[in-house]
Amino acid sequence: MKKHSARVAPLSACNSPVLTLTKVEGEDRIRESVVGTTDTQAAGVAAGAESGSSKRKLHCCIRVTTVQVSKALWGVAMVMCVCSSWAGSTQLAKLTFRQFDAPFTLTWFATSWNCLFFPLYYIGHLCKSPERQTPRQRFRECCRFFGDDGLTPKVFFTKVAPFGLLWILTNYLYLQALRKINTTDASALFCCNKAFVFLLSWIVLRDRFMGVRIVAAILAIAGIVMMTYADGFHSHSVIGITLVVASASMSALYKVLFKMVLGSAKFGEAALFLSIVGSANFVFISFVPLILYFTHVEYIDSPGEIPWACFCGVAGLMFAFNFLLNFGVAVTYPTLISLGIVLSVPVNAMVDLYTCEINFNTVRLIAVFIICLGFLMLLLPEDWDQCIIQLSTKLRKRDEPAESSAEAGATTGLNWRGRARTSMSTFAH
């Protein structure tokens, strides 16, 4: 097991446009094979085997192109699934509160579904892995993520329980905000968590300073202020906006602290961690909904009147959303997964337009636009400016041969016409 400091060192949130908590297993082996192929090609060229080298290069290019196309197609599917699951859970939660106003009970119920992550991962392990392990063996291997001693009571209360509380706070504050404001404003304001992740990672993880991301963070803050102004600073909307911003802050704190304390997790480790969070929520937090019920804070006449279909629908959509966010990087790019979150804003806006009385005034539209713009700016890679410079340089190099060939053709044509005139004058004489 590596030392903790060695694991935290490379975990820069700006290494990729998205602060991803999971890493693709076998990624290092793929890179080594690509490097090995490159070295073999270089040796072949040095030996004079140009034809074999060109074939290998062509095969490598075709393989890379196929992988990229496959990831792009999976990315389109992921964008649609993430967008529909996030927008669907938001809309269904809003509908659920009209029948049973119990945001904390719904949070507890949905978080308890996290227990299913590790069993589903183990089923996938049995289907794909050539070396099949028993559940206990796989559990022990994944527990090494927490340290040499595995999952001890000390590790649980210091490295798992705090993240469980942040998870519950994130979901509870978001659901509580849906009782105050519409789903369009809530989903747009929650996109600010990407800006909060950048600011926290810049301060805590010592990430590289990037001007474009500072501008994006400023846009997010300006969008929050404008969203508050859109309804005239009424107490009802101000409370709702504050709750969503607090939820986005808890989400950002969860991601940055996870990177700092635990690092990047493999799929099995992430599945085990989320299952432990769900199990701990079910065991240790179950008394809170009971207290809220007996104190008539979240009260219903009989358990039969609880809208179980809506409860299970919200929990299932949230589970699908978190599953795609954490494990979607196995088949596509993290940036495409994040696009699904921002695309849920116009989806919620269309639903709100036809289902409730929402005033899409100019201030609200501008606020939603600049928040989404800031979110998209935060998805730019670290070397986006260098990529643009390289692209423009390549385009110029392509244009230069065309211009030179055109000039050469014009010169040849002039010489040909000069020769024709000389021959004609000679024939006249």
Side-chain angles (χ1 to χ4, degrees), residues 44-120:
V45 171
E50 296 180 357
S51 60
S53 174
S54 61
K55 289 180 180 179
R56 283 193 294 271
K57 287 181 179 179
L58 180 61
H59 178 71
C60 183
C61 291
I62 293 173
R63 182 181 178 185
V64 170
T65 305
T66 305
V67 170
Q68 290 176 348
V69 171
S70 175
K71 280 195 170 186
L73 293 175
W74 274 109
V76 173
M78 284 291 171
V79 167
M80 296 176 64
C81 292
V82 170
C83 177
S84 58
S85 60
W86 183 236
S89 62
T90 301
Q91 293 289 339
L92 193 56
K94 185 83 171 178
L95 180 64
T96 304
F97 294 148
R98 296 175 184 174
Q99 304 176 48
F100 182 32
D101 191 8
F104 191 88
T105 303
L106 182 57
T107 301
W108 170 83
F109 183 76
T111 305
S112 298
W113 281 47
N114 286 4
C115 301
L116 301 174
F117 274 109
F118 190 75
L120 288 177

Side-chain angles (χ1 to χ4, degrees), residues 344-357:
S344 66
V345 178
V347 172
N348 282 320
M350 293 297 295
V351 175
D352 286 345
L353 187 64
Y354 289 101
T355 59
C356 64
E357 296 179 359

Side-chain angles (χ1 to χ4, degrees), residues 140 142-156:
R140 288 179 177 177
C142 293
C143 280
R144 295 176 185 174
F145 173 65
F146 300 106
D148 294 333
D149 298 330
L151 183 63
T152 61
K154 180 182 178 181
V155 170
F156 174 79

Side-chain angles (χ1 to χ4, degrees), residues 11 34 41 90-91 123 145 156 164 166 184 187 195 222 302 304 308 361-362 389 392 401:
L11 297 173
V34 171
Q41 291 173 358
T90 301
Q91 293 289 339
I123 293 172
F145 173 65
F156 174 79
L166 287 174
T184 303
S187 58
S302 65
W308 290 110
N361 53 31
T362 305
I389 293 172
S392 62

Side-chain angles (χ1 to χ4, degrees), residues 11 13 16-23 259 263-265 325-326 329 334-335:
L11 297 173
S16 64
V18 183
L19 185 61
T20 309
L21 303 183
T22 52
K23 59 183 179 182
K259 282 287 187 180
S264 292
L325 281 189
N326 286 281
V329 292
T335 303

Side-chain angles (χ1 to χ4, degrees), residues 155-318:
V155 170
F156 174 79
F157 286 106
T158 56
K159 293 185 178 181
V160 179
F163 293 104
L165 292 176
L166 287 174
W167 182 287
I168 293 171
L169 282 173
T170 299
N171 289 278
Y172 172 69
L173 292 173
Y174 184 78
L175 293 177
Q176 189 71 256
L178 290 177
R179 300 171 61 244
K180 307 289 184 181
I181 59 178
N182 56 71
T183 58
T184 303
D185 294 351
S187 58
L189 288 167
F190 192 78
C191 290
C192 294
N193 79 320
K194 195 68 66 179
F196 299 154
V197 166
F198 165 69
L199 293 174
L200 285 174
S201 60
W202 180 38
I203 297 169
V204 178
L205 300 180
R206 308 286 179 161
D207 275 342
R208 175 187 170 188
F209 175 84
M210 289 185 64
V212 66
R213 292 182 177 173
I214 289 293
V215 173
I218 294 172
L219 288 175
I221 295 170
I224 294 171
V225 175
M226 292 186 67
M227 191 72 75
T228 309
Y229 177 76
D231 289 330
F233 292 97
H234 296 302
S235 60
H236 207 65
S237 61
V238 170
I239 293 173
I241 292 170
T242 304
L243 289 171
V244 178
V245 174
S247 174
S249 302
M250 293 297 105
S251 174
L253 187 62
Y254 173 92
K255 294 179 181 179
V256 174
L257 287 181
F258 190 98
K259 282 287 187 180
M260 186 179 71
V261 176
L262 296 172
S264 292
K266 295 179 181 179
F267 294 136
E269 297 165 349
L272 177 62
F273 179 83
L274 293 172
S275 292
I276 293 172
V277 169
S279 303
N281 168 79
F282 182 79
V283 173
F284 296 108
I285 311 295
S286 298
F287 69 94
V288 178
L290 293 175
I291 292 174
L292 295 176
Y293 173 79
F294 287 112
T295 55
H296 285 231
V297 176
E298 295 183 357
Y299 180 78
I300 196 166
D301 294 332
S302 65
E305 296 181 4
I306 297 176
W308 290 110
C310 293
F311 262 55
C312 292
V314 173
L317 288 171
M318 283 189 170

